Amino acid sequence: MGRTVVIGVAAVVAVATCALAAAIVGKRVKNRRKWKRVVEVLRELEEGCATSVGRLKQVVDAMAVEMHAGLASEGGSKLKMLLTFIHTLPTGNEKGTYYALHLGGTNFRVLRVQLEGQRSSIMTQDVERQPIPPHLLTSTSEDLFDFISHSLKQFVEKEGSDSHSSSNKGRELGFTFSFPVQQMSVSSGDLIKWTKAFAIEDMVGRDVTQCLQQALARRGLDMRVAALVNDTVGTLALGHYNDEDTVAAVIIGTGSNACYIERTDAIIKCQGLLTTSGGMVVNTEWGNFWSSHLPRTSYDIDLDATTPNPNEQGFEKMISGMYLGDIVRRAILRMSQESDIFGPVSPKLLTPFILRTPLMAEMHEDDSPELSDVGRILNDVLEIQDVPLKARKLVVKVCDVVTRRAARLAAAGIVGILKKIGRDGSGCTTIGRSRTDIKMKRTVVAIEGGLYTSYGIFREYLHEALVEILGEEIAEHVVLKETNDGSGIGAALLAASYSTYQGG
């Protein structure tokens, strides 16, 4: 009897042990399957974002072709290729005191720059930032510019005794206006439409410079708008002031754009255009560039559909800081839906643009052993708690894939511009001769924007791709130079270039 009980107990224990072992094995198999699904999502993202050198060169060629088409006729390309009428850039010999006004959002800046006639010798006297009262964003053009001109007059009245206040010269201003404008001359342009939070109906179609000039006159302020520019053109001006080999400028920040110096005889849509320099700055508006060679994923398509401008700014939506964080969020959401590796799907993951690109960059550049910054941001921003280390590593990898694609495409865009103006080395190739048999000109591209200046991994990937596309021998002659405040200082420099007074 006792032996029978022992055998029975042993049998029960054996069965229970087998059941437990089976449960453990089953859980492990289930977890492996879940992990496999997450890894598959990552693999699909990597394949969708792939930017081989061959593909990047196709993007380069497509960019150059679209630039040609945009210069040939209005509406002939996704690239607007806008004429700026700026054909004289700062040389470093400018002297005097000049002003800049930057209206780019719900704040505006005014600054005063003193130039000493020596390259790179810029003395910024003063800078002031002013918020625009919300009611003025939807009021009238007269109300808006009266407010701006009043602030500008107060700023001017703070000048020291060594300034224009003791001179018979009128003051001259560079006006950076970061809204779509149809440029009519170097100092005038008609507003095409408002963006951001502005909706002043009576100003659409009017010359923005004239609106400002009339407001200045009402205030009794003797100041002439010498140049109307956007921030990319201001960056080119500042770059050229510091280095005369500067031929193009790129901004890669919240948004992205590029401009460059084009030969006037290549601007076919404006035949007979003559300038003293033989060239003109062209604003590409490259954010709207599109090509079938761009590596687009389902995340890009879904993001585009939720924006206020679907099917527009396709290039910008792949490379600029406004969008990268949200692409990463969408990939993490998909992983969370495919597996419980992040626990239950957090409602925050469903919120568009909740993961801003600076936070994404912080996760990407987290080099702590436990990826503590990744864990903190996932917890604080997306409300995903207690994420295991291997899942944190997965998030870093997603950030890497999205950032690498953006940086490499930006590099391809830059080389596309260089190809258009014959600075990519391709014109040096002949039968039996290497690309470096003919001397390459030193080529400088001015660059601004937080994505490039503050995000080290992005910058490294961009430089790496530039060398891969051009080849090491050609890339040695191409310099990317950071500038600081092209929208402010650059605009003041252009006011100096187009001053009515010789020597400033």
Side-chain angles (χ1 to χ4, degrees):
M1 177 75 178
R3 186 181 175 189
T4 302
V5 171
V6 170
I7 292 172
V9 171
V12 170
V13 171
V15 169
T17 302
C18 288
L20 180 61
I24 292 171
V25 170
K27 186 175 182 180
R28 285 176 179 172
V29 170
K30 188 177 180 181
N31 285 341
R32 278 200 296 268
R33 285 175 181 166
K34 287 180 178 179
W35 181 253
K36 189 176 180 181
R37 285 200 295 271
V38 170
V39 170
E40 180 65 19
V41 172
L42 176 61
R43 186 189 63 78
E44 289 174 1
L45 178 67
E46 287 178 313
E47 289 181 357
C49 291
T51 49
S52 65
V53 178
R55 184 168 213 164
L56 292 177
K57 288 183 176 179
Q58 289 175 318
V59 173
V60 168
D61 291 342
M63 177 70 79
V65 167
E66 287 295 308
M67 290 173 72
H68 275 285
L71 290 173
S73 63
E74 292 294 347
S77 166
K78 293 283 281 185
L79 296 178
K80 289 184 170 54
M81 304 300 285
L82 302 175
L83 306 188
T84 66
F85 297 90
I86 289 173
H87 55 86
T88 300
L89 288 168
T91 62
N93 297 320
E94 293 80 7
K95 292 183 180 180
T97 302
Y98 298 90
Y99 297 81
L101 166 65
H102 180 205
L103 179 60
T106 53
N107 293 284
F108 70 93
R109 289 187 306 138
V110 290
L111 69 154
R112 179 172 54 248
V113 171
Q114 186 174 324
L115 306 176
E116 301 296 332
Q118 297 176 346
R119 188 179 295 278
S120 300
S121 177
I122 298 175
M123 296 174 60
T124 304
Q125 298 275 91
D126 204 358
V127 182
E128 280 190 8
R129 183 184 296 271
Q130 288 264 13
I132 298 174
H135 74 277
L136 291 180
L137 305 181
T138 55
S139 184
T140 66
S141 57
E142 187 170 311
D143 288 343
L144 173 66
F145 283 104
D146 275 348
F147 175 77
I148 291 173
S149 62
H150 174 67
S151 299
L152 190 54
K153 184 176 183 180
Q154 287 183 320
F155 177 78
V156 168
E157 287 173 348
K158 296 176 184 177
E159 292 176 341
S161 59
D162 60 337
S163 66
H164 275 292
S165 57
S166 59
S167 168
N168 292 323
K169 293 179 181 179
R171 300 171 181 86
E172 294 185 291
L173 174 82
F175 185 14
T176 302
F177 187 75
S178 299
F179 299 91
V181 164
Q182 181 65 52
Q183 199 95 13
M184 308 306 291
S185 72
V186 69
S187 60
S188 66
D190 298 339
L191 176 66
I192 297 172
K193 64 177 180 179
W194 286 109
T195 56
K196 302 156 190 174
F198 284 83
I200 302 173
E201 293 182 8
D202 76 323
M203 197 171 154
V204 176
R206 293 179 61 188
D207 180 356
V208 296
T209 297
Q210 187 179 53
C211 291
L212 175 59
Q213 206 74 71
Q214 289 171 347
L216 294 173
R218 285 194 294 271
R219 294 286 175 189
L221 184 56
D222 183 12
M223 180 175 282
R224 182 183 78 93
V225 178
L228 175 67
V229 301
N230 72 5
D231 47 4
T232 317
V233 176
T235 297
L236 177 58
L238 181 54
H240 197 271
Y241 180 86
N242 291 324
D243 192 323
E244 63 183 356
D245 290 333
T246 303
V247 298
V250 176
I251 290 182
I252 312 175
T254 304
S256 187
N257 193 17
C259 69
Y260 72 106
I261 305 169
E262 180 59 272
R263 300 187 337 268
T264 49
D265 60 4
I267 306 174
I268 301 170
K269 64 183 176 183
C270 199
Q271 287 184 332
L273 187 67
L274 296 174
T275 64
T276 54
S277 66
M280 180 180 287
V281 177
V282 173
N283 170 18
T284 66
E285 291 291 337
W286 84 354
N288 204 44
F289 168 66
W290 185 252
S291 164
S292 60
H293 299 300
L294 291 172
R296 200 181 196 200
T297 68
S298 60
Y299 307 109
D300 299 301
I301 294 169
D302 292 343
L303 181 149
D304 179 60
T306 64
T307 60
N309 56 344
N311 300 315
E312 294 181 13
Q313 301 298 105
F315 192 54
E316 183 175 72
K317 288 171 183 174
M318 285 187 175
I319 70 170
S320 77
M322 179 72 187
Y323 304 98
L324 299 190
D326 202 59
I327 297 171
V328 168
R329 176 195 66 84
R330 290 171 185 275
I332 296 173
L333 172 61
R334 170 84 185 280
M335 290 176 172
S336 188
Q337 291 169 334
E338 292 283 331
S339 164
D340 61 1
I341 187 173
F342 296 107
V345 177
S346 168
K348 293 290 186 181
L349 265 177
L350 300 170
T351 307
F353 297 100
I354 193 171
L355 182 62
R356 297 182 300 108
T357 298
L359 293 172
M360 182 208 81
E362 191 177 346
M363 290 196 296
H364 191 190
E365 296 187 319
D366 184 0
D367 57 2
S368 63
E370 296 298 315
L371 298 177
S372 54
D373 287 339
V374 176
R376 174 180 53 78
I377 291 168
L378 291 175
N379 181 76
D380 295 352
V381 179
L382 298 177
E383 296 183 356
I384 304 174
Q385 300 174 351
D386 303 321
V387 179
L389 182 59
K390 74 173 185 177
R392 296 182 190 189
K393 290 180 178 178
L394 201 67
V395 169
V396 173
K397 183 61 178 175
V398 171
C399 295
D400 187 71
V401 171
V402 172
T403 298
R404 188 171 188 269
R405 178 187 69 165
R408 290 171 70 81
L409 289 178
I414 292 170
V415 178
I417 291 176
L418 299 184
K419 183 181 180 71
K420 171 65 184 69
I421 59 176
R423 295 292 189 101
D424 68 330
S426 59
C428 300
T429 306
T430 56
I431 297 173
R433 301 179 71 182
S434 74
R435 292 204 293 174
T436 53
D437 284 344
I438 300 175
K439 185 173 176 59
M440 276 284 296
K441 291 182 179 178
R442 180 173 178 271
T443 299
V444 178
V445 178
I447 189 162
E448 270 195 32
L451 203 59
Y452 179 85
T453 60
S454 303
Y455 192 174
I457 296 176
F458 180 95
R459 187 167 58 248
E460 289 170 15
Y461 278 147
L462 192 155
H463 289 178
E464 177 185 81
L466 207 65
V467 174
E468 287 181 26
I469 300 168
L470 291 170
E472 290 186 8
E473 293 177 331
I474 301 299
E476 285 179 0
H477 301 278
V478 177
V479 181
L480 300 186
K481 251 189 182 180
E482 287 184 35
T483 62
N484 183 26
D485 196 18
S487 60
I489 298 173
L493 290 171
L494 284 168
S497 295
Y498 285 89
S499 169
T500 54
Y501 307 104
Q502 292 295 321

